[in-house]
Amino acid sequence: MSFDLQGFPADSEALATLAARGLAYRLVDTSDAAATSKWVEADFRGFHHSRPRQIDLDFDFGLLAERRVHGVYDPTIAEPAVPVATVSSWPTGLSVPGGRSVDAWAVSSVTVSPTHRRRGIARALMLAELQNARSAGAALAMLTATEATIYGRFGYAPAARAATVYVDRRRAHWIGADVPGRVQFVDAAAIREIAPAIARRAVARTPGEIDRWPALLDRVLGLHDPESDRSRSRRVARYDDERGQPQGFAVFHVTREPNAPGVAEFDFLAAATDDAERALWRFLVEQDYVSGTRGLLRSVDEPLPWLLDDPRAITVTDVVDHLWLRVIDPIAALSARRYSSPGRLVVEVDDPVGIAAGRFELVVDDGGRAEVAAIESRDAAASVKGARGIRLGVRELGAIYLGGVRPSVLARAGRIEESAPRSIDLAERMFASTRAPHLSIWF
């Protein structure tokens, strides 16, 4: 999605709403180092990070130059140049079932100072981001949530879960098939050039993953601050196939007390093939002088239990809603993905904000390809009378979109209704995904 991030003004409703409370809602000029530094300071404070060093500021200057950045300012406080609320956003691709991608609007860095709670700031920011997404032509907006009770009121719903996976080294006996390639240690700087291509292929394999931006890879590989203890503790392992072509890599570190076995921990594994995924998992769980291996933000549907002799060597904890989706354009969103069953389904969407509300006819052919049209006229409505259909809110549509939440579950909860018998059954078959949706990063 090609888009000028500075090409449209700040949302007029947010401007007016916050101005009535004595606050200023501003689009931050990221070429202004002083203003951007103050914004980063507020962002770090909002997430309880240490005050940014110059190396952190320099890194974020490059990152934020590719994003649309807003702040809310209070001219009456002791430091009026530091915003009391922050948000950043940008257009990016979201992987959907069928190995395809849809244009989405990523929302991040949402903070409100505890000194300015309950003034309608978060609401103004989030509603403005929905309008930004519309202006950008995005089919969906998305975010990763630190709290689960905030974003539903704006139409977001959890669409992909993540978990922490721990493997007990003493019980980890590998029984998976051997792979024809090999794993080897590589220098972080050396893999940086090919990392984006591997990451793109890995992202395309799994619904719910989003495009990796350059600064993310620099941070993951420890290249943004190479002399820090965190960066120096990281190791990079790359999998090459039998032809010597790189097909995946993982970044990990070992935490331990002196003279005691540690824990190998990783939060980034990019595998462009199943062989790469299996080989990197085996490498990580067969580390010496560790009590176990811990993977963060892993899929809830890992193949790992079927690769070890003792599946109880694996402990899955911290299963959380991770990726939240908000449908902006139902026609664009529903048209983008592939479906697991052919069929004709009328989808009636309720949206309190009014952005995605309407009735839509979803027609899927035998190849899983969809055609979607709005049902607006009486004649069109009459043509689908008696057709199978579902009625649901925009939150529920976001939840089922990637296949991570089954329509039948939401129907049992009273969150989806069917307009004709067996409509839920049809929706269940159509929206199913052969691969569980998963997002393996924060943004």
Side-chain angles (χ1 to χ4, degrees):
M1 178 167 47
S2 177
F3 183 71
D4 179 8
L5 289 170
Q6 310 301 323
F8 59 96
D11 181 66
S12 59
E13 186 171 341
L15 284 166
T17 299
L18 293 172
R21 293 168 171 77
L23 303 169
Y25 173 65
R26 297 179 196 158
L27 178 63
V28 177
D29 180 0
T30 55
S31 66
D32 183 336
T36 305
S37 295
K38 295 299 184 182
W39 187 94
V40 173
E41 180 181 333
D43 181 40
F44 273 47
R45 183 176 64 191
F47 287 101
H48 306 302
H49 299 322
S50 300
R51 286 189 298 274
R53 302 164 298 158
Q54 188 59 49
I55 195 170
D56 300 317
L57 292 172
D58 292 342
F59 178 79
D60 274 13
F61 289 163
L63 174 69
L64 296 173
E66 304 296 326
R67 298 187 178 185
R68 186 172 168 90
V69 179
H70 286 91
V72 177
Y73 297 83
D74 184 345
T76 69
I77 62 175
E79 295 184 276
V82 179
V84 298
T86 63
V87 65
S88 69
S89 48
W90 68 99
T92 188
L94 168 70
S95 293
V96 296
R100 307 186 74 199
S101 178
V102 65
D103 291 338
W105 187 252
V107 180
S108 184
S109 300
V110 181
T111 75
V112 177
S113 171
T115 61
H116 286 68
R117 302 286 190 209
R118 292 175 293 279
R119 299 193 191 185
I121 295 175
R123 179 175 178 80
L125 290 180
M126 296 309 300
L127 291 178
E129 287 305 322
L130 297 183
Q131 297 306 321
N132 288 340
R134 292 183 77 182
S135 297
L140 305 105
M142 59 187 179
L143 51 81
T144 52
T146 54
E147 297 182 47
T149 58
I150 297 175
Y151 300 105
R153 71 193 76 168
F154 307 111
Y156 290 86
R161 296 180 296 162
T164 297
V165 176
Y166 178 81
V167 182
D168 186 339
R169 177 67 180 93
R170 296 167 300 177
R171 302 169 65 179
H173 175 61
W174 191 267
I175 60 170
D178 290 334
V179 297
R182 68 172 183 171
V183 176
Q184 57 184 315
F185 283 108
V186 294
D187 180 71
I191 201 174
R192 179 61 180 83
E193 184 176 351
I194 62 172
I198 295 174
R200 278 194 298 271
R201 294 173 57 211
V203 163
R205 300 175 73 220
T206 304
E209 294 283 17
I210 74 168
D211 294 344
R212 297 338 191 203
W213 52 98
L216 173 72
L217 295 173
D218 289 336
R219 187 182 292 279
V220 164
L221 292 168
L223 299 176
H224 71 298
D225 186 8
E227 295 307 312
S228 69
D229 288 342
R230 181 176 182 273
S231 294
R232 292 170 60 223
S233 70
R234 298 204 148 198
R235 301 288 184 267
V236 183
R238 188 185 74 205
Y239 171 75
D240 300 336
D241 64 19
E242 66 273 25
R243 299 180 303 279
Q245 297 299 311
Q247 300 290 357
F249 67 96
V251 185
F252 73 102
H253 65 281
V254 176
T255 59
R256 67 182 183 87
E257 298 297 326
N259 302 315
V263 174
E265 183 172 287
F266 70 98
D267 60 3
F268 195 89
L269 189 158
T273 65
D274 288 342
D275 281 352
E277 184 177 18
R278 290 196 300 270
L280 289 169
W281 258 120
R282 182 172 188 174
F283 169 83
L284 290 163
V285 302
E286 290 186 343
Q287 294 288 312
D288 291 329
Y289 201 45
V290 299
S291 57
T293 298
R294 182 182 298 115
L296 307 180
L297 294 182
R298 300 309 307 160
S299 172
V300 296
D301 196 24
E302 291 280 355
L304 192 60
W306 301 97
L307 298 171
L308 300 179
D309 180 52
D310 183 359
R312 294 186 182 182
I314 302 166
T315 303
V316 178
T317 60
D318 302 324
V319 179
V320 295
D321 51 82
H322 185 47
L323 175 68
W324 290 58
L325 294 184
R326 207 285 184 195
V327 175
I328 301 294
D329 182 342
I331 292 178
L334 292 170
S335 300
R337 61 158 290 177
R338 290 288 188 259
Y339 294 83
S340 293
S341 177
R344 181 186 184 203
L345 188 71
V346 176
V347 181
E348 185 172 348
V349 183
D350 176 57
D351 183 354
V353 180
I355 292 176
R359 298 181 75 212
F360 308 92
E361 185 180 29
L362 171 63
V363 180
V364 176
D365 65 18
D366 290 339
R369 292 174 293 271
E371 291 187 3
V372 185
I375 303 171
E376 297 175 349
S377 68
R378 289 185 177 180
D379 289 343
S383 70
V384 298
K385 186 176 182 180
R388 294 186 190 179
I390 56 175
R391 293 185 293 268
L392 73 174
V394 68
R395 290 185 64 188
E396 290 69 34
L397 182 59
I400 70 173
Y401 177 69
L402 295 176
V405 180
R406 290 158 46 203
S408 61
V409 172
L410 294 180
R412 286 162 53 197
R415 302 285 289 268
I416 294 181
E417 298 177 357
E418 60 181 3
S419 59
R422 300 187 300 280
S423 296
I424 296 296
D425 291 342
L426 177 59
E428 187 101 349
R429 295 194 303 272
M430 293 173 70
F431 280 88
S433 173
T434 56
R435 192 178 182 107
H438 170 225
L439 175 65
S440 57
I441 61 170
W442 287 95
F443 66 86

